Amino acid sequence: MNITQIVSALQDIFSEPLKDGEQRKIVFWVDKDQEFIEEIDQLTMDGVKVQTLSENNQFYMKHLLEEEDPSSHYLIYTTLELGLEDNWLADTVYYSKTFYADRISLILAELQIDPSLRGVIKKYERFFHNKERYRKFQALGIESYSEEMIELAIMSVLCNVKVPDFEEVLKTVLMDTLEDSDNKFLTQMDKFFDIEVFWEYVFKQYGYERETKTLKTLFIHMAVTAFSHSVNEQYLTSLKDFIAVRNRTNCLVFIDHWMHHKTDDEVFDEYVEMAEKEIQISRVLQSVPIEELKKAETFPYIDRAIIIYIANSLLEKLEDYEEYTKLIKLRRAKHFYERFANIYEALFYTVKMQEFYKEYQHGIPTGRAIDIYEAYQSKYYLMDTYYRKFYVAYDEESNHEILKKLKEVVEHLYTHWFMGELSANWSQAVKAEMTEQWSLPGVLNQQQFYSSIVAPHIRKGERVFVIISDAFRYEIGVELTERLNAETIGTCDIQSTLGVLPSVTKLGMASLLPHKSIDIDSKGQVFVNDQDSSGLENRKAIIESAVEDSLAIRFQDVVNMNKAGRRETFKGKKLIYIYHDSIDAMGDKASTEIYTFNAVEKALDELSTLIKIIRDDLSGTNIYITADHGFLYQREPLEESDKIEKVQLETIEVKRRYALSKEKQDIPGQLTIDLASVIKNEQQLYAYVPNGILRNRMQGSGVNFNHGGASLQEIVVPLLSFKNKRAGQKGVQAISKVDIKLTSTTQKITNSIFNLNFFQTEKVEEKTKPRTVVVYMADEEGNILSNEETIIGDRSFDNPADRTFKIQFVLKSIPYDRNKTYYLIIKDRETGVITEKVPFTINLGIVGDFDF
């Protein structure tokens, strides 16, 4: 303000009407910075007497105002602070008005900052010259000012941080760029703050002290210091210059918060990879035992080191499978797991395959056909799942050298050992027991599906949904069963049927229809009740001939309808066949068979969705999911020894996994199956199927995905029975998540680094789902005071001791009030709901570091 503006502002004050009890107006003009001391002698105002108050004339001024001239208006100019102590005019000041013309005084008055902090405001006067910056400073709503609070507030405004918090200020600065000269927030501080004060705060809170300070070395300092909490410092001697001597816990909490931020973590990941290269982390970690690294997570190379360790151990045939599994599961809660998730998944399933091999390393037992069949249903099918899951992960990272090495191990275990032994034993049992009668004691034949499973519902007037998924083999059915039991309140059970031979779509689909007879003509065409059964329209006619109110429809047509359209289409229908084809459609083409296992993942999602549509939109309660056949699939190209010459006899049809002929012969390498127990067999046909998993030598590609033969993977057909139930029905168990509870009894913290024990209250099983929680310490306002730890509660052990977790926490190095209540927060990561809030007291004694 210039002198003209000041006089105008003062004139306005003196022109205001007198208030009740006022006889006149006295205004004290305080000019602490003496900006107008030379102009005051020339200042005149109409009707107002102007006086100057100094340290030497206070008594005179009091006498003048109260005795000599108690009625005139007065403007009293002073450069003094009008405090209460040693002030003769204190009572006069109290009932008068104080006017400030200098910017600093106005700021102090408007923000109600104690005048003793005038020097701080003066130091940063340039900051307050801008109206927008001033408005943001004011908007912080600070109730009690100190020098530190003013500095924090200024830095917060310059960094667009909504609360005065140095952790957020520093993260904002670092997030911009680690190049100091290009960092817009450092530039702002250099202009409107004091950059050295910023670095002092960095030193005080994070122990960063260097002659030449840079954002790049600061980030490395904080990352290495955070890392040093997880690893014994004897392994980090080459990095000691980057490890804080004081306030180390603040570095850990800072890095932890940034690392686990939903969006800001991308920048962190970029920086930490730079830091890895700068400090040559791979060289540093060469001598560090994996046991030391297993809980660390600051650098992505930690995960690489663990992956290399497990992979090398598997390649060297070290059998610590339980250790590898625990290590992989532990890493799931760490920050960089998602980046390496596919490699970890591939490792996990390689470990599971190795475990299976160890269990049967003396050979997969030979025996009766029914024993081998039942063993496949209960145990052997797992190898098909492990193999499939390995390749789902592998296909996401197929260029990774470690996975290429693991692929060799997996192929040896699955294709050469497991499939070789199992299929040889099974073929031997089939040849001995099943060539004349294609059946097994106690096992439902696929041709009996309608008469034994569906017809009883129809006779009782119940509505039935039948979902037939092409090439939906048994191990996939087990996975879908587990998923439906976990995700719905209905119940899903799985059994198997003995698939028809040859295990092909045209015969498998026909076998699932209502029928009195099934047969194959001289051209290889399949007839049901003497009707052509190929294609949807023919199957629909066959179904309608058995049940008038019936429907045959494709999966995609159901999905494409809206709810009203579905209800109209299915209205009044008692028998509904829904045909689904994702797996066979992908696997049966040479150009796409490599994507077979990806198609399985898609099929599982689609079938889950379809069940929920039937349940929710169509009120379906009786739902069956089955298949026409299974399939064989191996990723490794077949060798010539995997192929045999086609049968040398007159045939109706020849494919890679079977041939149909009216002639009966014993042919080396082939099983000869009489089809009289499978079809009506007016042609008196025999199926010739190659032993084991061999293929008939034929022209053309597309040999890795096959079906038609008698392998367990082809003919053990899943039959899922899903019974929809509604909440509140008798015996219905609602789906719930396990709980994660604190078990530590002491709720007093006396050390900034401490451990707490947690317990997963129930085991994961059907209807009891896993729960993932984030756990941390917070104050009453919800400010996070510690690192955030993730607990994945997905353990299915009966023994409670196996469902416990010991977690380490680190508190920020800040003052804690022993009389205040702090809280351990347990928050569901999926929903964000706080499931437990446990009060704690924190009494750390003296907080901080001493320099002697």
Side-chain angles (χ1 to χ4, degrees), residues 27 60 78 106 121 220 230 287 309 337 360 431 439 485 517 530 716 743:
V27 176
Y60 162 76
T78 184
L106 291 172
I121 300 299
I220 297 172
S230 305
S287 60
Y309 162 74
Y337 177 81
Y360 293 99
K431 188 169 186 177
S439 64
N485 278 325
S517 66
D530 300 322
V716 180
T743 58

Side-chain angles (χ1 to χ4, degrees), residues 791-831:
I791 299 176
I792 301 175
D794 66 348
R795 297 182 179 178
S796 54
F797 306 116
D798 288 314
N799 185 357
D802 294 327
R803 303 199 304 270
T804 60
F805 306 83
K806 185 177 182 180
I807 305 296
Q808 185 179 86
F809 294 92
V810 177
L811 289 174
K812 281 185 179 181
S813 292
I814 58 173
Y816 293 93
D817 187 336
R818 70 185 68 184
N819 297 313
K820 277 190 174 181
T821 300
Y822 300 90
Y823 295 93
L824 177 84
I825 304 296
I826 303 178
K827 181 189 289 185
D828 186 297
R829 194 168 71 178
E830 180 187 18
T831 63

Side-chain angles (χ1 to χ4, degrees), residues 340-518:
F340 301 101
N342 291 309
I343 301 173
Y344 275 122
E345 283 281 291
L347 275 173
F348 178 79
Y349 288 109
T350 307
V351 170
K352 300 306 286 182
M353 292 177 80
Q354 290 276 30
E355 279 184 321
F356 186 97
Y357 172 73
K358 186 178 181 182
E359 185 177 348
Y360 293 99
Q361 60 187 321
H362 298 302
I364 294 173
T366 57
R368 296 183 308 153
I370 185 60
D371 294 333
I372 297 174
Y373 185 97
E374 289 179 346
Y376 179 79
Q377 276 193 115
S378 63
K379 179 71 176 179
Y380 299 165
Y381 78 87
L382 286 168
M383 275 296 267
D384 295 325
T385 302
Y386 299 155
Y387 183 75
R388 170 169 61 86
K389 292 289 189 181
F390 170 84
Y391 272 109
V392 169
Y394 175 88
D395 288 341
E396 296 294 324
E397 299 277 354
S398 56
N399 288 324
H400 201 288
E401 286 304 315
I402 285 178
L403 293 195
K404 289 178 182 178
K405 291 285 188 184
L406 291 178
K407 180 177 180 238
E408 295 175 15
V409 174
V410 164
E411 286 296 338
H412 172 75
L413 289 171
Y414 183 77
T415 305
H416 302 299
W417 172 71
F418 172 71
M419 289 300 290
E421 283 201 16
L422 178 63
S423 61
N425 293 352
W426 173 245
S427 293
Q428 184 180 329
V430 169
K431 188 169 186 177
E433 303 174 42
M434 300 176 67
T435 56
E436 299 299 323
Q437 182 73 25
W438 185 251
S439 64
L440 286 168
V443 179
L444 191 72
N445 284 342
Q446 191 176 29
Q447 310 94 297
Q448 298 171 308
F449 166 73
Y450 184 83
S451 61
S452 297
I453 303 297
V454 179
H457 290 290
I458 299 299
R459 285 196 291 271
K460 288 188 281 187
E462 297 173 346
R463 187 161 64 151
V464 185
F465 289 83
V466 176
I467 302 167
I468 303 171
S469 182
D470 203 328
F472 183 68
R473 73 179 179 185
Y474 183 78
E475 55 97 4
I476 307 166
V478 173
E479 183 170 344
L480 181 60
T481 301
E482 292 170 351
R483 184 188 290 198
L484 291 174
N485 278 325
E487 295 179 355
T488 72
I489 62 171
T491 57
C492 190
D493 298 309
I494 185 169
Q495 64 182 90
S496 72
T497 62
L498 177 64
V500 292
L501 205 66
S503 52
V504 289
T505 298
K506 61 183 178 182
L507 186 56
M509 290 293 186
S511 300
L512 297 170
L513 294 169
H515 66 270
K516 293 179 181 176
S517 66
I518 305 172

Side-chain angles (χ1 to χ4, degrees), residues 581-594:
D581 184 12
S582 289
I583 302 170
D584 199 71
M586 188 69 73
D588 233 6
K589 298 183 183 70
S591 60
T592 59
E593 66 175 3
I594 194 170

Side-chain angles (χ1 to χ4, degrees), residues 52 99 112 166 212 240 308 325 402 415 470 503 559 626 710 741 759 797:
T52 298
F99 174 77
Q112 297 183 340
F166 189 70
T212 303
K240 67 179 187 301
I308 291 167
T325 301
I402 285 178
T415 305
D470 203 328
S503 52
V559 173
T626 190
K741 296 286 187 183
F759 176 55
F797 306 116

Side-chain angles (χ1 to χ4, degrees), residues 87-248:
N87 183 0
W88 286 91
L89 293 164
D91 56 340
T92 310
V93 171
Y94 180 75
Y95 66 75
S96 303
K97 187 174 183 65
T98 304
F99 174 77
Y100 297 94
D102 64 289
R103 182 65 180 161
I104 304 303
S105 297
L106 291 172
I107 291 169
L108 291 170
E110 189 169 2
L111 296 176
Q112 297 183 340
I113 298 174
D114 192 280
S116 63
L117 294 169
R118 182 183 187 87
V120 182
I121 300 299
K122 180 68 177 174
K123 179 178 179 182
Y124 303 118
E125 184 177 3
R126 192 177 178 195
F127 167 86
F128 291 100
H129 279 171
N130 178 274
K131 288 183 180 178
E132 183 62 18
R133 287 196 298 269
Y134 183 81
R135 183 192 65 75
K136 288 181 178 179
F137 185 97
Q138 199 171 22
L140 293 174
I142 298 167
E143 294 181 0
S144 178
Y145 286 96
S146 63
E147 181 174 357
E148 181 179 1
M149 182 54 72
I150 292 169
E151 290 171 343
L152 273 177
I154 292 172
M155 287 188 282
S156 298
V157 169
L158 292 174
C159 293
N160 295 318
V161 173
K162 302 302 181 187
V163 291
D165 180 348
F166 189 70
E167 180 178 323
E168 283 301 309
V169 166
L170 181 56
K171 193 176 92 168
T172 301
V173 171
L174 294 172
M175 283 278 292
D176 185 52
T177 176
L178 296 183
E179 296 298 328
D180 296 55
S181 58
D182 297 332
N183 192 289
K184 64 185 178 187
F185 298 111
L186 277 193
T187 302
Q188 288 284 91
M189 286 192 204
D190 212 21
K191 283 183 180 178
F192 305 113
F193 188 58
D194 182 343
I195 202 71
E196 289 306 315
V197 172
F198 166 78
W199 287 115
E200 283 172 20
Y201 273 80
V202 171
F203 166 67
K204 283 191 294 185
Q205 295 209 29
Y206 301 104
Y208 173 76
E209 188 175 24
R210 282 176 176 256
E211 190 172 330
T212 303
K213 301 174 183 66
T214 68
L215 295 177
K216 187 174 182 179
T217 56
L218 168 60
F219 178 83
I220 297 172
H221 162 91
M222 298 183 82
V224 172
T225 301
F227 178 55
S228 71
H229 281 83
S230 305
V231 178
N232 191 310
E233 283 192 47
Q234 72 183 55
Y235 300 109
L236 304 179
T237 52
S238 62
L239 299 177
K240 67 179 187 301
D241 290 345
F242 288 105
I243 300 174
V245 175
R246 55 182 288 163
N247 286 347
R248 290 176 55 192

